[in-house]
Amino acid sequence: MFYNSPMNTATDFLLNPVFLHGCVASIQFLFLLFILVSWVWKRFRIDRSQTVVAKRSFGYLCFKQTLFCSLVLSLFNLVLCFLNNFYWYRNGWTYEKIVTLLHAVLGTLIWLFVSVYLHTLVSNSSTQSSKYPFVLRVWWVFFFTVSCYSLVVDYIHYKKTHNLPSMFFVSDSVSSLLGLFLSFVGLSHKSQEEGQSHNLEEPLLNSRSDRVRGESEIPSTYQNASFFNLLTFSWMGSIISKGNKKPLDLEDVPQLADIDSVKQVFPILLEKVQFLSNGNNQITTFGLTKALIYIVWKEVVITGFLALASSLLSFVGPYLIDTFVRYLNGQKDYKYQGFILVATFFISKVVGCFTQRHWWFKLQQAGIRARSALVAMIYQKGLTISGQSKQGNSSGEMINLMAVDAERVAFYAWHMHDFWLLLVQVGVALALLYKNLGLAAIASLVATIFVLLANLPLGNIQEKIQDDLMKSKDNRMKATSEILRNMRILKLQGWEMKFLSKIIKLRDEEENALKKYMYTLSLTSFIFWGAPIVVAVVTFATCLFFGIPLESGKVLSALATFKILQEPIYNIPDSISAFFQTKVSLNRIATYLRLTDIDSNAIDKVPPGSSDVAVEIINGNFAWDANASSSNLTLKDINIRVNHGMRVAVCGTVGSGKSSLLSCILGEVSKISGSVKVEGKKAYVAQSPWIQSGKIEDNILFGREMDRERYDNVLEACSLKKDLEILSFGDQTVIGERGINLSGGQKQRIQIARALYQDADIYLFDDPFSAVDAHTGSHLFKECMLQFLDSKTVIYITHQVEFLPAADLIQVLKDGRITQAGKYNDILNSGSDFMDLVGAHKEALSAIDSMETNVQEGTTSSKKNTNDTQNSKTDDISGSKAQLVQEEEREKGKVGFSVYWKYINTAYGGTLAPFIVLAEISFQILQIGSSYWMTWGSPVSESDPAPVTGSTLIMVYVVLSVGCALCILARGLLLATFAYKAATLVFHKMHLSIFRSPMSFFDSTPSGRILNRASTDQSAVDMDIPNQLAIFVFTIIQLLGIIAVMSQAAWQVIFIFVPVGIMCIRLKQYYLPSAREMSRLFGVCKGPLIQNFAETISGSTTIRSFDQQGRFQDTNLKLNDDFARPKFHAIAAREWLGIRLDMLSSFTFAVFLIFLISIPEGTIDPSIAGLAAIYGLTLNTLQGLVLWTLTNLENKIISVERIFQYSSIPSEPPLVIESTRPDDQWPSQGEVDIRHLQVRYAPHMPLVLRGLTCTFKGGMKTGIVGRTGSGKSTLIQTLFRLVDPAAGEILIDGINISTIGLHDLRSKLSIIPQDPTMFEGTIRSNLDPLKEYTDDKIWEALDKCQLGDEVRSKEGKLDSSVTENGENWSVGQRQLVCLGRVLLKKTKVLVLDEATASVDTATDGMIQQTLAQHFTDSTVIMIAHRITSVLNSDMVLVLEQGLIDEYDSPTKLLEDESSSFAKLVAEYSMRSNSSFENLAAR
């Protein structure tokens, strides 16, 4: 290729390219020496001076691009060196070759040194100049000038001689382009002001003021990016760079662009859904799909064009490969054909890479947008759904819609274009096959259609299995959510393992569906991996049958076409599966969105000041079920008129409809007939406290601005100041989920404070005083009802008769009707219902009077057990200040290999892994072998003889193909077996760990975190991770196979693979820290989103009553965007890496092709070279896929990491300790001996019980009283070992309870808890979950607790349904069910923790009589706020701030009027004698 050109004149040498390159080589050598000497001199000077220069980052213009250009020029010259080696083989040594080689070698070195010099310059330079060094700028300008001159000389010389080495032209063209950029950089520089500004900013970035900047939002880098940055994903550079320097936090992730923010997208989707549902809330699945497409239609159209372009470009290689093989065989059609072919290959690959990357990115962008909008819509529905609809759809099911179904819809974006693209690809492939193989393409078409038709039955099977899988997952999540909510009662009763077996049983159903799904997937993978092989065999056999010649070039083109078809055909099962999964999910979401909402017309809202009437109900008939018949109404013939400023009391027996009456005023109950008018803003206090996770202050403010004076007055009125002083962080204390770290009274008072702070017009209180002690209740009623709300309209439900006289109007309910109404004295003698309530109350008071009468005057005062020894221990153990609920833990840094290894070894000790790898290696060898066989066995041209006969060729190919198919089948079955077993074991281990964890874990861990692992992370382990792990291994094996084939054709390509491989690895190392942390971030951010949704569902009535739906929706939108931000940027980062890997692999492929066309003819078999080129076509895909799957796997394996994190939670003590098991008769006496007991809830928290010593005698009844937060419930939890003592011990019948198993202890104790709990199921399953008792025993217990008649009236009797949380039973009825449980169990030690708080006085008396009758020989420990409940106790224990204030018999304590107990009794008596009526009158 080199030439010798004659010189006609003395100046012709100036136009000789060889001479010119020789001169440039000499100048390069001199410049190299100069740089080396100057660098050594500078290092010498720096070493001699002792000055340490701080590293700075200066404002050099386009520094990264400049460094990149230098590296590219160095690498480019290195490639030229290798190309020269091939030319030597052809023509031997010439002086032109030596000059050219020298020029390339020196170019490699000089640009390498320039790169190093640039890096050193920025790292160590102390100059503050923003210009590059003078010597570099001169060199760049000189280089550009000489390159342009050389390019002109090349052109002139070619015109004269028509003979020019293409290497010169390519070299000078590249040098001119890059030289232009370097000259521009060298001649330009940043202004001094910019440089100073940059330098001034630098210290601030490292200072404390950065915290303020970090807390502010980082604007979207995507939205503000230039076209070039968008094209190359360079807008991700800043966040990836930051992730390299430190673990990323959420505030480091930029905001979403406006088009992707759910705040912009959700209103559009909502408007479209309302339009398509014609305003009747009946959106169909098709309508919902149309609405979703509407918000992403631009992305759908753009990705459609990108997908089409990418697919068409993928056929350029197969189209040209026949021509390329003929060229290598010496059939050259025109000059420079080889380089034009290489350029076409290269350009098609590069353009294809860009279109593919943006296609994938845009699809996922659309998916994220659709998911966010769907989640927001599901959340909004949760705010408006009616009570009846909520009973049929548990919170677990609703959470699944958000956590799983919305994700499925987003994931379908990947497969959006699969079906029509398949038709395009099949059509182009058939046209290409027809061009090469003629009529044999018809056989290919028939085989392809057969494969496609096989999808129909497989699709139906997968849809059914998927539907079953989702239903079983729903049931499991529903049960899990309920169990987590009620874990405290399960542990108190010793039922947690029984309920774990319930979860395991539900999981077994899910696993059956999962097993079918996995094996069906492996079968479809076998069919469709084998489909291209079947098509190839059919096509080649047809060629043989019809005598169509099989030349190696045409065979290679056909094989390449089949390889391209392999991916869309292989993706068909995934696409069909995704389609049906998405269809199922959209059906479920649409069904949920069609559920009945709260009737907005149930109440007529009147503007304040319109009339004197605040609340008016006329002829109201109401039912929770909107379709209820007249005989099943909840409330009947309700007529109420409440004027502004009135206090209205509502009373009645358990289940009479009191809470439903308040719900009518709130608009929560369906109005069957009549009218309800409400004037003004409302505030509501529910019977069961609803507390949000977060600070106490935020719970009280509830969205309003801080008014410090009003806030302090509210705290004072609600007796909260003392509680806040005790808490380490005051009102900044973070409350655990459902107020888990507060007592029942504290939660109720925070609820009241929240209502008071709102400054509403109408206040609705649903028995708020039942959860607080007598003194606090009196204070609340006086300060809140009578003073703070003196001018407000107040409607309150109460079971405390003493609060009734202060009411302006009393409503007495029975069986859903108002039986009496009027003032206290007016209705006292007008009917039996009210008289029964008052009579029971007076009977309780008479017990106090008789007891006080029996107290003899002059008796010595009762003893107080506040002795010095006890008090001296109060400060022995002090806790450091720390919040109970901490930020969710997330691992940082690289996912350790131990996680992978542990996961692989989970199933069968890892024995299946080698067999799966062996099956894949065998498949790859057989696949390459079959392609090699077809290529080798086919002649290069028609004139060449065939090495083997046609029949032999096809027979061997069929055998090899069958071997491939069997390997695929074995691989699929083994992988499915591994995946199923690993998922099962991981699930069981995590759930066992969670159920065996101590109560402190549930107190400090929001259930959203656990549910996130049980749903999203478990789904990843079930479905995604095994496939991701397998794909990574398979891709590595395929890549090694390609490298082996390419190296066989041209071993020199190894010299390119090595540096390119190193660059790929460095890119991956640079990218991975950011990707890993962003993946962890969106895992962590999902928990708050789910938790917020769960809290909103449970508190929807409170939220609606305060008209706070808008604020909660905004919070959800923010959490939604917080989750989407790291996910969006993680996807963009992946494409950032992908496009750079694609460019490197395309460059490698181009160099390889240049090698092939540069090798002398006859050096290599053209067929083998063509085969290598065919495999090289997929190099960029596989080379990128290896690192892409690795990073994707790392992102997914975090789910395993998170599950393993919850699989090793420190466990509670053993359930059974065989060596210390008590006998079956224990405890025979029931004596409870407490010695020096000290308790704290966590090591970092202060003591709650601070040294208690007392004994509860066997068979005696002990009442425990004390102000809210004094430690009463903590003492009970310690007795059941929900909390273990920090010091001291508790003995029952002489046995230290800390030495025996938890189930041995808890099964021998009974408790009626403070919060009455019922589980979804039946009455039978609620009373007897362990199935230990007969129906007769259960009926007997129901009769004893006064629920027998109520249950008999139900259609299902003992099988009557109980909805989630027992919502279809009143709170009082739930408390009676808890009483029924202990009557069944009947143990020697019974604990009542506020057991009668939610029932009226008459029912309370009945419960006390029942207990006295059936637990005469048992030790009864009772916490009660009703003083009358503890008066008949044998002993009374008074607690104050975790210490024993008094402990004696009630009679002795009452003898001393100064005793705390006597004061409580006196206060209760005074309150009960209409003192509030007098105060109200004043």
Side-chain angles (χ1 to χ4, degrees), residues 563-749:
K563 196 173 257 308
I564 291 173
L565 270 183
Q566 183 176 7
E567 185 178 354
I569 291 178
Y570 170 66
N571 285 336
I572 287 173
D574 288 339
S575 302
I576 292 174
S577 174
F579 174 80
F580 285 116
Q581 284 180 23
T582 306
K583 183 184 171 190
V584 169
S585 291
L586 283 171
N587 277 335
R588 286 154 48 83
I589 294 171
T591 303
Y592 171 73
L593 294 177
R594 288 195 297 269
L595 291 174
T596 308
D597 284 342
I598 292 288
D599 184 5
S600 57
N601 299 316
I603 59 174
D604 300 323
K605 294 183 180 179
V606 182
S610 302
S611 68
D612 295 332
V613 179
V615 177
E616 185 175 29
I617 303 176
I618 302 173
N619 298 326
N621 289 288
F622 305 90
W624 286 103
D625 183 358
N627 301 315
S629 63
S630 58
S631 59
N632 290 324
L633 296 175
T634 306
L635 294 172
K636 305 178 254 323
D637 304 324
I638 303 297
N639 287 278
I640 296 177
R641 180 186 174 93
V642 180
N643 292 330
H644 287 294
M646 284 182 67
R647 273 190 298 274
V648 179
V650 181
C651 59
T653 56
V654 171
S656 59
K658 302 183 295 298
S659 297
S660 296
L661 180 63
L662 291 192
S663 296
C664 294
I665 299 169
L666 292 170
E668 296 289 319
V669 186
S670 297
K671 182 178 67 178
I672 307 301
S673 63
S675 66
V676 182
K677 186 175 78 171
V678 177
E679 182 179 317
K681 291 197 307 180
K682 307 180 296 295
Y684 171 64
V685 177
Q687 185 174 15
S688 299
W690 178 72
I691 301 292
Q692 274 187 283
S693 300
K695 297 176 184 174
I696 292 176
E697 178 186 271
D698 294 336
N699 268 275
I700 295 173
L701 297 181
F702 207 55
R704 291 196 62 183
E705 294 294 324
M706 169 62 83
D707 178 345
R708 180 53 66 181
E709 183 181 354
R710 183 176 182 83
Y711 183 76
D712 289 338
N713 290 338
V714 167
L715 292 182
E716 186 68 44
C718 296
S719 297
L720 278 170
K721 286 201 167 183
K722 200 169 190 180
D723 297 88
L724 297 180
E725 288 170 6
I726 296 170
L727 295 170
S728 301
F729 293 87
D731 62 358
Q732 299 303 304
T733 299
V734 175
I735 302 173
E737 192 175 19
R738 303 184 308 280
I740 204 79
N741 47 335
L742 299 176
S743 71
Q746 288 170 330
K747 285 188 280 188
Q748 195 63 276
R749 282 181 289 132

Side-chain angles (χ1 to χ4, degrees), residues 1148-1196:
T1148 305
F1149 181 57
V1151 171
F1152 172 70
L1153 292 181
I1154 292 172
F1155 284 167
L1156 291 182
I1157 65 171
S1158 303
I1159 293 174
E1161 291 177 19
T1163 306
I1164 187 171
D1165 185 345
S1167 300
I1168 302 304
L1171 178 64
I1174 285 297
Y1175 275 92
L1177 283 172
T1178 59
L1179 179 65
N1180 73 305
T1181 306
L1182 282 175
Q1183 193 172 355
L1185 197 60
V1186 167
L1187 294 181
W1188 188 87
T1189 49
L1190 175 60
T1191 53
N1192 205 30
L1193 177 61
E1194 274 224 353
N1195 293 342
K1196 290 289 185 184

Side-chain angles (χ1 to χ4, degrees), residues 1265-1280:
V1265 295
R1267 298 183 187 277
T1268 301
S1270 59
K1272 304 185 294 294
S1273 292
T1274 302
L1275 176 58
I1276 301 307
Q1277 290 187 64
T1278 311
L1279 179 63
F1280 282 82

Side-chain angles (χ1 to χ4, degrees), residues 269 272-273 276-277 283-293 590:
L269 178 67
K272 198 67 180 173
V273 166
L276 292 170
S277 59
I283 186 69
T284 62
T285 304
F286 181 66
L288 181 60
T289 306
K290 281 174 65 178
L292 285 171
I293 291 174

Side-chain angles (χ1 to χ4, degrees), residues 314-384:
S314 67
F315 284 98
V316 171
Y319 180 80
L320 294 177
I321 195 66
D322 186 27
T323 307
F324 188 72
V325 171
R326 283 190 277 108
Y327 173 84
L328 293 178
N329 199 37
Q331 300 177 27
K332 299 173 183 171
D333 298 331
Y334 51 87
K335 200 170 185 181
Y336 303 123
Q337 183 186 7
F339 286 101
I340 290 172
L341 284 172
V342 171
T344 307
F345 275 119
F346 179 69
I347 292 169
S348 67
K349 291 302 291 181
V350 169
V351 176
C353 291
F354 275 100
T355 54
Q356 187 183 62
R357 289 295 160 194
H358 283 278
W359 164 27
W360 289 354
F361 171 70
K362 283 285 183 186
L363 281 179
Q364 294 175 88
Q365 182 184 21
I368 289 175
R369 194 182 304 167
R371 187 210 69 86
S372 296
L374 270 179
V375 167
M377 181 152 276
I378 292 166
Y379 181 86
Q380 190 198 48
K381 185 69 179 182
L383 283 171
T384 62

Side-chain angles (χ1 to χ4, degrees), residues 801-802 805-806 824-825 1469-1480:
V801 175
E802 60 270 21
Y824 183 84
N825 291 325
S1469 301
M1470 190 190 314
R1471 184 178 77 178
S1472 301
N1473 290 321
S1474 301
S1475 58
F1476 292 111
E1477 181 183 21
N1478 300 330
L1479 183 61

Side-chain angles (χ1 to χ4, degrees), residues 881-895:
K881 291 177 71 172
Q883 297 281 16
L884 175 67
V885 180
Q886 304 290 334
E887 287 291 321
E888 182 171 3
E889 268 186 60
R890 68 178 171 104
E891 303 287 340
K892 294 196 175 183
K894 186 178 179 181
V895 178

